[in-house]
Amino acid sequence: GDAAMAGGGLNILPHKSWNVYNRANRERVLRDEENARREEREARNKRNRAESEWRMERLRSRRGGGGGDDADDDDDDGVQKREGRVELFPPPQGEGGSSGGR
């Protein structure tokens, strides 16, 4: 019956440190996974705070409160301001302002 299915020999698995069915090993895996999740969550929060702070500083400097020089109307990201509006896609050089191209 069942004795023949066991394959005989020694059952040494419970004595091995790498036994995945051992209660202590399962608890260690759960603890390590929880620690990894917590560290990932903290790292993500830290990145979000840093990015938010960077955006706030950038907005403050654009507003003029940060002491940034707003002498030129060309931003460093390629967006041009003309006549109080933002030109995301400025016309090519040499063409007029509003050419009804559509």
Side-chain angles (χ1 to χ4, degrees):
D2 290 340
M5 297 296 287
L10 297 173
N11 187 8
I12 62 173
L13 182 61
H15 304 289
K16 295 295 182 181
S17 62
W18 44 261
N19 179 10
V20 295
Y21 300 108
N22 187 351
R23 177 187 302 272
N25 287 346
R26 289 189 310 223
E27 290 173 357
R28 185 175 66 220
V29 167
L30 291 175
R31 185 176 61 242
D32 290 350
E33 288 175 346
E34 178 59 33
N35 287 340
R37 280 192 296 272
R38 181 174 34 78
E39 289 175 5
E40 173 62 30
R41 193 168 44 244
E42 290 172 358
R44 186 172 44 244
N45 288 342
K46 186 175 180 180
R47 277 194 311 270
N48 288 343
R49 281 193 303 271
E51 185 176 335
S52 176
E53 186 65 29
W54 176 80
R55 286 181 178 161
M56 288 299 293
E57 287 299 321
R58 190 168 179 209
L59 289 173
R60 285 184 188 119
S61 68
R62 282 187 175 186
R63 192 177 67 202
D69 64 315
D70 293 330
D72 58 339
D73 287 339
D74 290 339
D75 289 335
D76 54 343
D77 56 1
V79 178
Q80 295 180 355
K81 296 177 188 171
R82 285 192 350 199
E83 302 165 5
R85 65 177 189 256
V86 176
E87 292 284 335
L88 294 178
F89 302 102
Q93 295 295 332
E95 290 187 18
S98 62
S99 61
R102 288 188 198 172

